[in-house]
Structures are given as C-alpha cells and as structure tokens.
C-alpha cells in the first residue's frame, strides 16, 4: 500500500472579489497531492453567487475534492443550495456523512461535516436551562452522534475526519479563551476517539495554531488559511512499505 | 463620552453583521478617542471595507487600521504523519 498525500485548507472565504485568485494558487496540485480536503467557510456570506465562485475555483481539478461547509456558508440560509451546486460541480460535500475514495487501490475514508461549538471538557455548555441553551448543545451532540455512525460504517485503509469547528483546544491557541465555546466542542473529538481515525482536519479558528492532538491520540490540524498562510498544506499518511 | 468598552463591542458586532464585511476575526480596541483594528484579511478591498464599517459604527473616533494583508503562498511544506 502506497503513501497518501492529503492536501488540506479551510476558510478560503471566496467571493466575487477573489474570483480566479485561489484557483491560480492550486494549479499543479496533482503533482503534490492525491486529494484536496476543504474544511468549510468556503464563502463569506453564504450566498448562491459566492457558492458559484467556489464551485468554479474548485471544480475540474485532476484530483478529487472533498469539502464541508462552515458557519459563513450558512449565513444566507442557502446552505442546501450551495451543497447542491458544489456537488453538481463534481465536489464531494460531506454533511455529517462519509465517503470512500480509491486512490491507486488505497481506500481513503473521509467522514464529517460542519461540526459546531459548545466548548471543551470542564469548561463547556450543557443541555440544561433555557430552550436556546439546550438547542445549542443538542445541535453539537446530534452532529457528534452522526459522525460516530458515519465512522462506524467506514471501511477504509485510512480514515480522516473533516470538520469546520475544532475538536480540541490545542489548535485554538492564539484565540481569546472567552470565545472557545464558539470555536469547537470536545464532543467532536470524543466521537472520533471512540471510532478511530488517523487525522482530523478543521478550520474556523483564524487566529489559532496548526497542530494539536485529541485526548485519544488522533492528530488534529487547523488548516484555516490565515493559520497555514499557504493555499494548502500536505499531510502524508504512510503506507505499509515505509 | 460613551464607555470605550461598549464602543468596541458595537464595532465588533458591526464588522460581523454588516454585509460589506462579515468579518468575525477582527480585534477591536478603543483607547480614548482612538480605535485600533487588528487582524488579517486576504485583499486590500476587504481591509478598506472593514475600516469604512468601523468608522460608521464609531463616528468621531480616529480609526487606526492595523489589519495586515495575508498574501497566500502557493503550497506549504509536507508533513509526514
Ligand atoms: Fe472562517
Ligand atoms: Fe468559521
């Protein structure tokens, strides 16, 4: 089994004003990577017009592209339409589900979705009190449950979780601690740790840091564009022969 | 004079909620009559719009636009996991 080269980025926040810019930076990506994962916040306002720019920038690449949406992509209540137009452009969009790609006979499983907040163990919101608070926490809990199911059924040689929100605090370092509950939730990490994965990719924390690890030992990488400062970063998953 | 704390909060909300900006990651600090904007954006047009929205949300204050432009580089280094 050969090594897999995973290109990843998040928070590209495209709009009419950046049309063509991102595409230029990813030309030739097929020489460096086998797949491109995009961890949400594809747009700024989540409009259909911006969704079309994203579809143009990411479609027709020689390697498969797997994406999830971010909070910005929900802002105009067109998230379902954006998912549909990205899928029409040949992009695999995960909305709390999984996919398996076959790359030279190596099966790469990717599971995930937008994710959500709530905070981290010891300093997190709980499903208690006002309906608004309960709904907030329940949203994350239901997402984590769907990820668990998606991972459980995922038969592949390598497994990656793709998210927008962060599963751990490590990669938020640089963000004000007061907003951690809006940047991620430990429940996302808990789901991945329960079912197992090789890597978790996320974005959303523009001022955070790249590298972290879950309590269960899964590597976490925050690939928000302002963090990695490159069009994408490449992570290599070793094959048997190395 | 309005408490700087609340001015900063109002500007921060305006930057997030105004359609011209939709920026959640800008740090806003108010000191007396001066307002400081810090963060990173990917083009000059966005940096200018942030300044405009901040100025409208805090009329009369002097805006210091210290936002940096991040020029996205082509491809980063590889990491072997
Ligand atoms: Fe973002
Ligand atoms: Fe985000």
């Amino acid at each position: 089994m050969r090594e897999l080269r995973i290109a990843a980025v998040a928070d590209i926040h495209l709009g009419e004003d950046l049309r063509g810019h991102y595409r230029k930076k990813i030309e030739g990506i097929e020489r460096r990577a086998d797949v491109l994962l995009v961890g949400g916040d594809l747009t700024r306002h989540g409009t259909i017009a911006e969704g079309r720019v994203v579809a143009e920038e990411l479609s027709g690449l020689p390697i498969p592209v797997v994406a999830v949406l971010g909070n910005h992509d929900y802002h105009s209540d067109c998230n379902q339409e954006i998912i549909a137009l990205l899928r029409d452009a040949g992009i695999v969009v995960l909305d709390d589900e999984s996919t398996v790609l076959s790359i030279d006979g190596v099966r790469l499983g990717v599971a995930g979705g937008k994710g959500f907040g709530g905070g981290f163990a010891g300093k997190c919101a709980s499903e208690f009190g006002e309906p608004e608070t309960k709904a907030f926490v329940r949203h994350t809990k239901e997402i984590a449950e769907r990820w668990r199911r998606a991972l459980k059924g995922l038969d592949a040689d390598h497994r990656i979780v793709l998210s927008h929100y962060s599963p751990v605090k490590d990669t938020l370092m640089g963000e004000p601690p007061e907003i951690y509950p809006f940047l991620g939730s430990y429940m996302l990490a808990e789901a991945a740790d329960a079912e197992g994965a090789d890597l978790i990719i996320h974005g959303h924390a523009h001022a955070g840091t790249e590298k972290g690890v879950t309590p269960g030992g899964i590597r976490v990488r925050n690939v928000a564009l302002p963090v990695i400062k490159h069009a994408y970063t490449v992570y290599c998953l070793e094959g048997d022969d190395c | 004079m309005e408490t700087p704390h609340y001015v900063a909060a109002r500007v921060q909300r305006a930057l997030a909620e105004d359609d011209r900006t939709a920026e959640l990651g800008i740090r806003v600090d108010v000191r007396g009559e001066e307002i400081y904007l810090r963060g990173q954006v990917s083009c000059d047009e966005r940096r200018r719009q942030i300044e405009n929205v901040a100025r409208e949300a805090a009329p009369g204050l002097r805006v210091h636009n210290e936002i940096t432009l991040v020029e996205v580089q082509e491809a980063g280094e590889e990491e072997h996991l």
Side-chain angles (χ1 to χ4, degrees):
Chain A
M1 194 171 76
R2 78 157 171 98
E3 150 188 285
L4 287 185
R5 300 166 302 164
I6 316 294
V9 66
D11 301 271
I12 53 178
H13 288 286
L14 298 178
E16 304 284 343
D17 55 348
L18 286 173
R19 189 188 289 272
H21 284 257
Y22 187 68
R23 181 55 177 233
K24 256 188 281 175
K25 308 281 184 188
I26 56 174
E27 289 301 343
I29 190 172
E30 69 278 9
R31 291 191 294 275
R32 309 206 44 191
D34 300 306
V35 59
L36 172 63
L37 306 184
V38 190
D41 274 4
L42 314 171
T43 66
R44 295 173 77 197
H45 310 92
T47 61
I48 294 192
E50 289 178 340
R52 286 209 185 94
V53 175
V54 176
E56 280 170 32
E57 301 281 298
L58 297 181
S59 65
L61 287 175
I63 59 171
V65 178
V66 182
V68 298
L69 299 193
N71 54 320
H72 281 250
D73 309 317
Y74 275 72
H75 185 64
S76 303
D77 293 322
C78 297
N79 41 299
Q80 287 308 324
E81 290 88 336
I82 292 174
I83 289 177
L85 70 87
L86 292 176
R87 285 178 177 160
D88 284 346
I91 296 157
V92 178
V93 185
L94 300 179
D95 186 14
D96 297 339
E97 60 209 314
S98 68
T99 188
V100 178
L101 306 169
S102 181
I103 299 165
D104 281 348
V106 183
R107 287 165 310 151
L108 173 67
V110 187
K114 171 183 71 71
F116 199 50
F120 300 89
K123 297 172 182 67
C124 58
S126 45
E127 219 176 316
F128 181 87
E130 301 90 325
E132 290 82 357
T133 308
K134 283 187 249 187
F136 181 87
V137 178
R138 199 177 310 123
H139 183 49
T140 314
K141 210 163 127 183
E142 286 168 358
I143 287 169
E145 191 46 50
R146 288 195 289 269
W147 289 13
R148 221 180 257 244
R149 279 200 299 270
L151 280 166
K152 203 186 275 296
L154 192 54
D155 182 22
D157 301 308
H158 292 291
R159 294 141 65 92
I160 297 181
V161 175
L162 180 61
S163 174
H164 180 58
Y165 285 78
S166 177
V168 294
K169 280 193 293 194
D170 309 21
T171 48
L172 303 183
M173 211 201 303
E175 295 280 0
E178 296 89 334
I179 66 167
Y180 280 13
F182 300 100
L183 298 179
S185 164
Y186 78 94
M187 286 189 256
L188 306 176
E190 197 179 26
D193 278 337
E195 300 300 333
D198 301 290
L199 174 66
I200 306 178
I201 297 288
H202 76 89
H204 190 47
H206 291 206
T209 45
E210 185 191 353
K211 297 176 186 180
V213 65
T214 66
I218 301 171
R219 252 79 62 90
V220 179
R221 295 293 179 264
N222 173 7
V223 293
L225 202 56
V227 171
I228 61 172
K229 296 189 170 62
H230 288 86
Y232 55 88
T233 300
V234 178
Y235 302 107
C236 300
L237 299 177
E238 305 282 318
D240 313 323
D241 46 349
C242 337
Chain B
M1 200 184 80
E2 197 182 354
T3 312
H5 194 83
Y6 296 126
V7 179
R10 186 173 66 239
V11 171
Q12 193 132 41
R13 276 191 52 198
L15 293 178
E17 294 168 9
D18 193 299
D19 271 349
R20 288 167 296 174
T21 46
E23 290 286 349
L24 277 69
I26 302 300
R27 190 181 160 145
V28 180
D29 284 304
V30 178
R31 299 281 180 274
E33 306 279 284
E34 322 277 321
I35 174 159
Y36 299 86
L37 305 174
R38 293 188 206 105
Q40 299 182 328
V41 294
S42 49
C43 70
D44 195 45
E45 173 60 19
R46 290 186 186 181
R47 177 161 63 178
R48 261 202 314 273
Q49 287 292 13
I50 290 168
E51 187 178 326
N52 292 339
V53 171
R55 191 162 279 130
E56 287 168 29
L61 294 198
R62 225 164 80 104
V63 178
H64 299 270
N65 190 345
E66 298 181 352
I67 293 165
T68 42
L69 276 186
V70 261
E71 184 54 44
V72 173
Q73 313 285 311
E74 260 160 45
E77 52 174 337
E78 282 181 3
E79 186 193 2
H80 289 260
L81 296 177

